């Protein structure tokens, strides 16, 4: 039973560039949430996708956007990258809308130079 | 004030000790409470999940929630070096909110 997978593992970008991160949920899950985790901090909720729509959003600017595909996989896009966007980006999947039991992937470590 | 407060540690204990990890929260709308374990440079791993006051036990781990005082605890019995990690507590309603995590080191 495949768990949550994320790609790529690591990424280095330059300020002002755009980045796309990808996530495949755990088998049987239909909801994907994205989190940003800065060094030494807990994960911060970015947004949640269910039935291909953004259902909940945290306190992140519009530079952060996402998409969910019919197979429940998801993408996180960040435009106009800032140095402060350097973090571990985590994807979590769950069954049904709302919080419920969320299972995290290994994350994508983004470094902005 | 953060919605979930957690002592960052580090907390160092000898192998075999009982570990107590604690969080407080301020959001009365939280319906669910979770504990995750996160090893260095890895994704968080779900340890315990509950949505009621009281105790929930799973092997060496016991999660305790007191909604009246807005207090969440995780107890680890017979701690092992492999338990050395950062422990994240969280509360959820429409979204999941985490504390900063407590770094635990179990020494031989």
């Amino acid at each position: 039973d495949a768990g949550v997978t994320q790609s790529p593992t690591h990424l280095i970008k330059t300020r002002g560039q755009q980045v796309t991160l990808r996530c495949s949920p755990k088998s049987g899950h239909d909801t994907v949430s994205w989190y940003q985790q800065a060094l030494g901090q807990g994960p911060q909720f970015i947004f949640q996708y269910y039935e291909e729509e953004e259902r909940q959003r945290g306190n992140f600017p519009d530079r952060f956007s996402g998409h969910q595909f019919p197979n429940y996989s998801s993408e996180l896009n960040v435009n106009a990258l800032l140095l402060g966007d350097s973090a571990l980006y985590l994807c979590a999947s769950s069954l049904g809308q709302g919080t419920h039991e969320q299972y995290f992937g290994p994350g994508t470590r983004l470094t902005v130079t | 004030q953060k919605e979930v407060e957690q002592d960052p540690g580090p907390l160092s204990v000898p192998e075999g000790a009982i570990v107590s990890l604690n969080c407080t929260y301020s959001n009365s709308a939280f319906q669910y409470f979770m504990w995750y374990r996160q090893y260095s440079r890895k994704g968080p791993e779900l340890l315990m999940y509950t949505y009621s006051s009281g105790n929930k036990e799973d092997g060496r781990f016991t999660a305790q929630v007191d909604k009246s005082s807005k207090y969440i605890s995780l107890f680890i019995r017979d701690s092992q070096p492999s338990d050395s990690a950062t422990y994240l507590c969280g509360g959820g309603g429409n979204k999941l909110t985490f504390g900063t995590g407590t770094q635990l080191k179990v020494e031989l």
Side-chain angles (χ1 to χ4, degrees):
Chain A
D1 180 20
V4 180
T5 59
Q6 293 186 243
S7 63
T9 304
H10 297 89
L11 205 51
I12 300 174
K13 290 287 189 178
T14 304
R15 274 180 302 176
Q17 286 188 317
Q18 178 264 345
V19 68
T20 298
L21 310 181
R22 296 176 175 82
C23 171
S24 290
K26 180 181 170 68
S27 178
H29 284 181
D30 57 6
T31 303
V32 172
S33 301
W34 286 92
Y35 294 81
Q36 179 195 68
Q37 186 176 26
L39 200 62
Q41 300 296 316
Q44 298 288 314
F45 176 75
I46 303 175
F47 42 54
Q48 181 181 82
Y49 276 84
Y50 172 71
E51 291 186 337
E52 302 180 48
E53 289 192 17
E54 183 183 296
R55 300 292 181 167
Q56 300 291 336
R57 189 177 183 94
N59 189 25
F60 279 81
D62 292 344
R63 297 187 298 109
F64 290 77
S65 63
H67 188 78
Q68 185 179 34
F69 299 93
N71 67 352
Y72 308 121
S73 67
S74 177
E75 288 182 348
L76 165 66
N77 301 292
V78 187
N79 295 323
L81 284 167
L82 304 173
L83 295 179
D85 294 332
S86 296
L88 180 67
Y89 287 85
L90 295 161
C91 166
S93 74
S94 54
L95 181 61
Q97 188 178 353
T99 306
H100 301 282
E101 297 177 45
Q102 296 190 11
Y103 294 85
F104 283 84
T108 293
R109 185 160 299 279
L110 172 65
T111 301
V112 182
T113 62
Chain B
Q1 181 188 8
K2 292 184 177 181
E3 287 185 279
V4 180
E5 298 276 2
Q6 190 173 7
D7 187 335
L11 177 63
S12 185
V13 302
E15 182 180 11
I18 296 174
V19 177
S20 173
L21 303 170
N22 306 296
C23 291
T24 58
Y25 66 94
S26 59
N27 191 336
S28 299
F30 283 167
Q31 299 165 19
Y32 309 91
F33 303 90
M34 295 88 161
W35 281 96
Y36 284 82
R37 176 174 63 193
Q38 187 173 24
Y39 293 111
S40 181
R41 308 183 83 81
K42 302 290 186 182
E45 172 192 5
L46 181 62
L47 284 177
M48 304 287 284
Y49 171 90
T50 182
Y51 49 91
S52 61
S53 283
N55 294 350
K56 182 176 182 179
E57 189 174 319
D58 184 1
R60 296 186 296 114
F61 299 92
T62 299
Q64 190 174 80
V65 175
D66 183 345
K67 289 188 177 180
S68 63
S69 60
K70 295 188 174 65
Y71 205 78
I72 314 166
S73 299
L74 179 71
F75 300 96
I76 307 174
R77 290 181 297 280
D78 188 25
S79 56
Q80 303 294 312
S82 59
D83 294 327
S84 298
T86 295
Y87 289 79
L88 297 159
C89 65
N94 292 326
K95 63 184 179 81
L96 183 53
T97 302
F98 286 96
T100 55
T102 298
Q103 187 179 350
L104 172 67
K105 184 172 183 180
V106 181
E107 300 186 358
L108 291 169

